[in-house]
Amino acid sequence: SFVIFSALFLRKKLSGSSPIQFKPVIFFAPVSWVNPLGIYDRGTSLWLEGKGQPEVKGDQQDVEAQRSSSTLLSARVEEFNRKLRENPTDTQLWLDFIHFQVGLLTGNKMSLRAVLEKKLSIVDRAVESNPANVDLKLEKLHLCKELWEPATLQKEWKKLVFIHPNSAPLWRKYLLFTQSLFSTFSVSKVNSVFGKCLSTLSAVQDGSMVSHPPLPGTQEDLLDIFLQQCHFLRQAGHTEKAVCLFQALLDFTFFKPDSVKDLPTRQQVDFFEPFWDSGEPRVGERGARGWKAWMLQQERGGWVIPSEPDDDDEEEQDDSEIKDKTWPKWKIWLDVEASREANHWLPWRPDKTKGQSEEDCEDPDRQVLFDDIGPSMIRVDRPDLQLQLILSFLQFLGLPGPSGKFSTTSSSNILLDNLTFLEEGPDPERPLTSYDLPMAGICAVGHMTFLSDCRRQAGLCKAGEEFLQNVLQQTLQLISAQDQAAITLCWLQYEKLKVLRCLRSGNKRQLKSQGKRSKRLVKRLLKEPDNRSSLALWREYAHLEWLLGNLEEARKVFDTALGMGVTRGLNDPVLCNLCFLYAQLEVEQALNSGTVPTSKAVYILTKLAEGAAYTPFSGQINPVTILKARKAYEQALLSFLPEQSTGSNARAPKKLHRMSSLVGCFGLFQYLTMGIDAADAVYNQAIQKLISWNLNSEVTDGSLRRPKVFADWESVAVQHVSLLRHHANTSVFPLSRLRLALTDALSLLPSSASLWQLYLQTENRYHSAGRARRFFHSVAKKTDSVVPYLFAITAEQRLKQMLDSVQRSRLPREALPTLPNNGLSNRIRCLFENATATEHGAHCPLLWRMYLNFMVCDGNAERGSGIFYKALQAVPWVKGLYMDAVQLFPERVQEFLDLMTEKELRLRVPMEEVDILLED
């Protein structure tokens, strides 16, 4: 083309015609025989000629690039300095400047120490300009962790909390620092710091510490730190101390004598000590009367009638703790330790009616002294926090909490130590109702053993179940009727949870006996006058019967409950919840039995919208009533969902946290009568309104409303995705819509384990690992929760297991039916490294235990050993980590037991005792 163009140009020129007007052509490179069109750069032309570029040119380009980068960085530094000179009190600007130094100094290829020292000099300047700012001082301590000796660092921390004793966030970070500093860590030291923290904040709350006023939210922070202490002791194996802390605070809160109520907290504790040391029964024990009754009786001269001895209370001794003496010694130790962990977590107390004394206790650590719990006594005066205290104790003992979440508002990553919430996905036979009791990810007492423990029992030991029944019966008498209903509901959900665990285990004999016990208890509770009209309790009873396979009996219970309360209509969220579950169960039953008609579910939802007298389903539904029901649902939903303009309305949160069951009923009704598009529209409308309210609302009144709203939001999202997934499994449906609903929900609710389970099942089914990886990465960057990392790792591990099983199952000369898992182990290891390097993942026990287990099971025991010692630097208090190490490195069992003894973790069976048991 170039030659033709040139010939035409010359022909015109020579013919004498008017010259053609051309725009000038710019050649990017000189024309030569290897580059006739001038389109190649110099480097390509030289390569075609068989030559190379001079090295000097490359160096010059690098130098120019560095100069350009250096100029930009210098300009940014100049801008920071100018702004800080103009406004030296802008603490956020100081922090941004400190964090900017990482990129600045890394570009200059300086050492890590030089980077830290440079940042430290900036922090010092910032603190000089803002001497009262806590965040800047915390940043300084965080930087000095790599530069100072542990003793110096600890001294500076103590100085900081001494200067700011009323700052609960500062105390929380100091506690985490003390917990995770391996060189100085011991359980007794950390426990005493918890006591110091709670007693100091109590003095601030009382006004006893006149130098520092209490900050907003101090009472909530006090309870939160108290719960954190209980879980620290549980994870360290000292469950007896944790149980005693709860017992003491319940007595201190609900049974306080009137004569001491107006005294400062420390003086109240002084009066409480004689009661604690008196040997009187405490909360959860038989015959517990409480501190107030004991003090009143002491003024009258003591109890007249001593408690009668009970022959059945004798603790059963297991003569055969060792199941098989041929096992290796390390395996025997693990088995006996786990057995005692499950059975001996209750505090031991001498029974004076049997002539027992403190010397009769074979294990002194099972006794708890007042000095261990006294400093942690706090005042919990608000009714909502008192209910939270009771629910937290019940969840500590294994009861499911509200919406499966734990009551503590902070430190959620530190609490995660239970693998079941990653493993237990949706049940294929129950696609709509699998999320009724989601797992919280926190081990109950007696279940904190090694990671891959398949012997999980349905409930607590015999003494533990009796203790739990006593706690429930005693606490129900102390609170309002509304709070009693909440606790009774948790009680029935616990019975349902035990039945569910029996179902999953497949043990029919155990399921039958557990079902009988649970039904007996539920019927007894429903006979009580306050519970007879409680639709929430009737709902749990009906669901329990359904799970046990008694479908006709369950339908009778549902119909009886609807007959009592259906006239309340759509304005009653409890009634909506009951009808929603009933309709979902009928849809699932029709699916499992292979029948298509879902008229019964439509009838239930129609009668709910009518709000008229209920009669059981007879097989006919009037089409007009369906139209009327749809209109009623639309009006009810509009009244519950606030408009954007009313985002600041104080009544909005109260309405919002009651709407998930209404949205569920309307969505399912539309699905059954009009199809998936109509149901999808209902859920999308509800979710958009919830998002707009959350973005525009500034309602922060210190109550527990916001967590309830977020729980409701999660519930709506899970219902939506479950329905879409159910439809995709039974009909032709574009997968993109299901994916979009999942990704939108998880972007807003990244800590939802139920949504992540659904996401994993959806992506695993279609083997789209690349898309899932990108999504996991995008979500993990935007949240402080470690949950996205945990599920990302779980997804990769499941993929690796699938590929490994395929490769193992093929015949010797058979072609590989799938791609080899190149790099999967490295990818999983990188995910673990990235997760543990983050601030929110560094102190997550479950993450470290999974990392250790993966490395050893992947055949890299030497690196796994290094991971164990690295984990000890971050979570040295977690007993389960040491037990995992014994299982994975059995030849070093004595080394790990010595470490546990040195750090004062609870060791129930010393190795010397195992030797004695073997001799016997």
Side-chain angles (χ1 to χ4, degrees):
S1 61
F2 179 79
V3 174
I4 293 169
F5 171 78
S6 302
L8 287 170
F9 178 79
L10 288 170
R11 185 178 176 186
K12 287 281 185 183
K13 195 73 174 171
L14 293 170
S15 66
S17 60
S18 58
I20 302 171
Q21 299 296 320
F22 289 104
K23 291 185 179 180
V25 178
I26 299 172
F27 291 101
F28 292 95
V31 178
S32 67
W33 66 274
V34 295
N35 189 14
L37 300 181
I39 59 173
Y40 299 137
D41 61 10
R42 179 175 174 78
T44 307
S45 297
L46 288 170
W47 181 81
L48 289 169
E49 292 179 31
K51 301 176 183 178
Q53 292 194 59
E55 292 186 6
V56 181
K57 295 291 182 182
D59 292 343
Q60 285 178 353
Q61 287 177 359
D62 292 342
V63 169
E64 287 175 8
Q66 287 179 6
R67 283 177 182 168
S68 174
S69 176
S70 179
T71 304
L72 290 172
L73 290 172
S74 299
R76 190 88 173 94
V77 170
E78 214 171 291
E79 184 186 357
F80 268 118
N81 284 326
R82 178 179 56 77
K83 288 181 178 179
L84 287 169
R85 280 195 301 272
E86 293 171 0
N87 192 5
T89 58
D90 188 345
T91 55
Q92 187 56 49
L93 189 61
W94 279 110
L95 290 169
D96 292 342
F97 188 34
I98 293 160
H99 299 150
F100 173 71
Q101 299 302 310
V102 177
L104 177 68
L105 300 176
T106 304
N108 292 332
K109 297 181 180 178
M110 297 180 70
S111 67
L112 178 62
R113 188 174 184 85
V115 173
L116 290 172
E117 288 176 349
K118 177 67 176 173
K119 290 171 78 173
L120 192 57
S121 66
I122 298 170
V123 172
D124 287 335
R125 282 170 48 206
V127 172
E128 282 178 20
S129 304
N130 305 273
N133 188 269
V134 178
D135 290 335
L136 290 170
K137 294 176 181 177
L138 281 171
E139 185 69 26
K140 180 177 180 178
L141 288 174
H142 179 68
L143 292 172
C144 292
K145 191 174 182 180
E146 302 293 333
L147 298 172
W148 291 351
E149 292 293 323
T152 310
L153 198 60
Q154 207 160 30
K155 187 177 178 182
E156 289 299 315
W157 266 107
K158 286 180 180 178
K159 191 186 298 182
L160 188 57
V161 293
F162 178 77
I163 296 170
H164 304 280
N166 60 338
S167 172
L170 177 62
W171 274 109
R172 202 175 277 116
K173 291 189 176 181
Y174 175 46
L175 287 164
L176 182 57
F177 162 77
T178 313
Q179 268 182 257
S180 54
L181 191 64
F182 178 75
S183 58
T184 60
F185 169 81
S186 74
V187 171
S188 58
K189 282 182 184 176
V190 176
N191 202 43
S192 65
V193 174
F194 269 107
K196 177 70 175 173
C197 165
L198 291 169
S199 58
T200 304
L201 286 174
S202 290
V204 170
Q205 184 191 18
D206 291 344
S208 308
M209 188 177 284
V210 293
S211 57
H212 291 80
L215 299 175
T218 298
Q219 191 165 164
E220 290 93 331
D221 288 325
L222 273 166
L223 180 57
D224 191 44
I225 292 170
F226 172 84
L227 296 175
Q228 191 178 329
Q229 180 185 11
C230 294
H231 282 279
F232 160 74
L233 290 168
R234 174 186 62 83
Q235 289 178 332
H238 291 271
T239 47
E240 296 94 343
K241 288 180 181 176
V243 170
C244 278
L245 274 171
F246 274 116
Q247 285 180 299
L249 191 60
L250 286 170
D251 241 315
F252 193 74
T253 301
F254 293 103
F255 296 99
K256 191 175 294 180
D258 297 333
S259 56
V260 304
K261 283 184 177 178
D262 297 328
L263 297 175
T265 307
R266 286 306 97 197
Q267 292 185 29
Q268 292 183 13
V269 172
D270 292 339
F271 279 99
F272 183 64
E273 184 174 1
F275 162 73
W276 185 262
D277 291 335
S278 66
E280 278 299 304
R282 302 163 186 165
V283 174
E285 298 173 5
R286 289 187 196 176
R289 301 178 179 91
W291 177 22
K292 183 176 181 179
W294 176 83
M295 200 163 180
L296 183 65
Q297 197 61 35
Q298 289 299 303
E299 293 170 2
R300 297 175 179 170
W303 299 112
V304 179
I305 305 171
S307 57
E308 296 181 2
D310 190 346
D311 296 333
D312 298 332
D313 197 34
E314 191 69 40
E315 190 173 321
E316 294 181 6
Q317 295 291 334
D318 189 358
D319 295 330
S320 56
E321 280 192 291
I322 297 179
K323 294 176 183 174
D324 189 344
K325 292 189 177 184
T326 61
W327 284 352
K329 194 188 290 188
W330 66 268
K331 190 174 181 181
I332 292 172
W333 177 84
L334 265 181
D335 188 68
V336 177
E337 182 75 18
S339 175
R340 291 193 184 179
E341 184 98 22
N343 294 300
H344 292 176
W345 50 267
L346 283 169
W348 187 89
R349 311 226 9 240
D351 189 342
K352 294 178 180 177
T353 61
K354 297 186 178 73
Q356 292 179 347
S357 64
E358 294 178 355
E359 287 74 22
D360 293 323
C361 184
E362 295 179 358
D363 185 357
D365 284 329
R366 292 186 67 190
Q367 299 182 74
V368 182
L369 304 176
F370 186 77
D371 291 344
D372 294 320
I373 56 110
S376 301
M377 292 299 98
I378 58 175
R379 296 174 74 168
V380 185
D381 300 328
R382 278 177 23 199
D384 58 334
L385 293 180
Q386 289 178 351
L387 176 63
Q388 186 183 344
L389 170 63
I390 296 173
L391 288 174
S392 298
F393 187 28
L394 295 176
Q395 291 169 56
F396 185 87
L397 297 172
L399 269 72
S403 72
K405 294 292 181 293
F406 208 78
S407 296
T408 46
T409 55
S410 70
S411 312
S412 56
N413 297 322
I414 301 175
L415 291 178
L416 285 174
D417 51 26
N418 190 356
L419 197 62
T420 51
F421 89 114
L422 295 172
E423 295 175 337
E424 291 183 1
D427 186 346
E429 294 184 1
R430 298 185 294 115
L432 300 176
T433 59
S434 290
Y435 310 95
D436 197 50
L437 290 175
M439 300 300 296
I442 298 158
C443 288
V445 292
H447 295 275
M448 186 69 182
T449 55
F450 33 90
L451 192 63
S452 304
D453 184 13
C454 57
R455 307 166 303 164
R456 298 187 183 278
Q457 56 197 51
L460 299 170
C461 62
K462 183 179 178 182
E465 285 292 324
E466 183 187 338
F467 178 81
L468 177 58
Q469 302 274 340
N470 291 336
V471 170
L472 286 161
Q473 289 169 357
Q474 291 161 11
T475 52
L476 282 172
Q477 305 167 10
L478 310 172
I479 49 179
S480 65
Q482 185 178 359
D483 292 345
Q484 284 180 19
I487 289 177
T488 308
L489 180 62
C490 281
W491 193 351
L492 294 195
Q493 287 177 340
Y494 176 59
E495 294 300 318
K496 190 167 74 174
L497 181 63
K498 288 191 285 188
V499 168
L500 271 170
R501 285 177 180 162
C502 292
L503 271 172
R504 286 173 184 149
S505 69
N507 189 329
K508 293 184 178 180
R509 183 178 176 184
Q510 188 183 20
L511 176 64
K512 187 176 179 181
S513 61
Q514 181 61 56
K516 283 183 179 178
R517 289 195 298 270
S518 297
K519 283 170 63 175
R520 195 181 307 125
L521 174 66
V522 173
K523 288 177 180 178
R524 180 171 65 79
L525 287 172
L526 281 170
K527 285 178 182 177
E528 295 182 7
D530 294 338
N531 297 333
R532 285 175 187 167
S533 60
S534 173
L535 294 180
L537 302 188
W538 281 97
R539 174 187 183 273
E540 298 306 318
Y541 177 34
H543 195 192
L544 184 68
E545 291 281 13
W546 197 287
L547 290 172
L548 291 168
N550 308 325
L551 302 192
E552 291 307 316
E553 186 65 29
R555 288 187 177 111
K556 287 179 184 177
V557 176
F558 271 123
D559 290 341
T560 303
L562 287 173
M564 291 191 298
V566 78
T567 52
R568 303 176 194 176
L570 296 171
N571 290 324
D572 187 347
V574 181
L575 176 63
C576 290
N577 205 16
L578 183 142
C579 291
F580 183 45
L581 177 65
Y582 192 7
Q584 281 181 314
L585 291 170
E586 290 292 354
V587 171
E588 288 177 350
Q589 180 59 26
L591 177 68
N592 293 331
S593 60
T595 56
V596 179
T598 51
S599 304
K600 192 160 190 177
V602 176
Y603 178 78
I604 295 160
L605 297 171
T606 305
K607 296 301 287 185
L608 168 67
E610 276 183 20
Y614 179 82
T615 53
F617 180 58
S618 59
Q620 295 293 328
I621 306 176
N622 188 345
V624 177
T625 60
I626 292 178
L627 294 174
K628 288 181 179 179
R630 185 174 296 117
K631 191 68 177 175
Y633 275 120
E634 288 171 355
Q635 292 175 350
L637 196 60
L638 285 174
S639 69
F640 264 80
L641 293 174
E643 297 297 329
Q644 281 193 340
S645 58
T646 61
S648 58
N649 186 358
R651 294 181 62 190
K654 190 172 182 180
K655 276 190 164 187
L656 283 168
H657 81 254
R658 296 164 49 203
M659 60 158 281
S660 67
S661 52
L662 171 63
V663 174
C665 288
F666 189 22
L668 187 59
F669 176 80
Q670 291 288 78
Y671 175 65
L672 296 174
T673 56
M674 294 183 68
I676 191 63
D677 291 334
D680 198 23
V682 171
Y683 280 110
N684 284 330
Q685 179 191 5
I687 290 169
Q688 288 303 317
K689 289 290 184 181
L690 281 164
I691 293 170
S692 64
W693 174 84
N694 182 54
L695 293 175
N696 296 327
S697 174
E698 296 297 329
V699 180
T700 50
D701 57 357
S703 70
L704 297 178
R705 286 178 179 175
R706 268 185 177 270
K708 287 182 179 178
V709 172
F710 282 110
D712 222 52
W713 186 357
E714 180 185 3
S715 179
V716 170
V718 170
Q719 291 169 15
H720 182 206
V721 174
S722 300
L723 187 62
L724 289 175
R725 192 166 178 275
H726 164 70
H727 183 72
N729 288 337
T730 55
S731 311
V732 178
F733 185 69
L735 183 63
S736 57
R737 286 175 60 181
L738 174 58
R739 279 204 183 104
L740 182 63
L742 268 167
T743 52
D744 286 350
L746 281 167
S747 299
L748 298 166
L749 300 163
S751 298
S752 171
S754 299
L755 286 171
W756 281 119
Q757 286 282 13
L758 283 163
Y759 182 78
L760 282 194
Q761 288 212 346
T762 302
E763 294 297 345
N764 286 351
R765 182 175 175 182
Y766 297 97
H767 307 295
S768 48
R771 184 191 296 105
R773 285 165 184 163
R774 290 191 294 274
F775 181 66
F776 277 123
H777 181 66
S778 66
V779 173
K781 286 193 303 182
K782 299 174 185 175
T783 179
D784 287 340
S785 173
V786 79
V787 172
Y789 275 115
L790 291 170
F791 276 97
I793 291 163
T794 303
E796 297 292 348
Q797 286 182 322
R798 286 179 184 173
L799 178 61
K800 187 175 184 301
Q801 287 170 4
M802 182 185 70
L803 294 177
D804 288 347
S805 66
V806 168
Q807 291 180 17
R808 282 195 302 268
S809 64
R810 67 191 182 96
L811 295 172
R813 294 186 180 180
E814 186 183 355
L816 192 67
T818 184
L819 291 172
N821 57 342
N822 290 337
L824 261 181
S825 294
N826 290 337
R827 182 183 295 278
I828 295 169
R829 192 165 64 248
C830 284
L831 277 171
F832 275 120
E833 284 294 326
N834 292 337
T836 53
T838 60
E839 187 179 355
H840 50 272
H843 304 293
C844 175
L846 181 58
L847 187 63
W848 283 109
R849 296 178 70 186
M850 287 172 65
Y851 193 6
L852 172 63
N853 201 59
F854 167 75
M855 291 303 294
V856 178
C857 294
D858 199 42
N860 206 333
E862 188 176 346
R863 292 189 70 171
S865 178
I867 296 302
F868 169 69
Y869 286 104
K870 191 176 177 183
L872 287 185
Q873 304 299 317
V875 288
W877 70 89
V878 179
K879 180 182 176 182
L881 180 67
Y882 298 82
M883 296 185 76
D884 289 344
V886 171
Q887 192 179 31
L888 297 171
F889 309 104
E891 70 280 357
R892 295 159 59 187
V893 57
Q894 194 58 51
E895 176 189 341
F896 302 137
L897 296 189
D898 292 342
L899 259 178
M900 290 173 67
T901 306
E902 179 190 340
K903 297 302 177 184
E904 299 177 356
L905 273 72
R906 182 80 165 90
L907 191 61
R908 299 175 186 274
V909 191
M911 194 55 80
E912 294 78 11
E913 187 175 347
V914 173
D915 293 332
I916 295 170
L917 290 171
L918 283 170
E919 289 175 7
D920 294 343

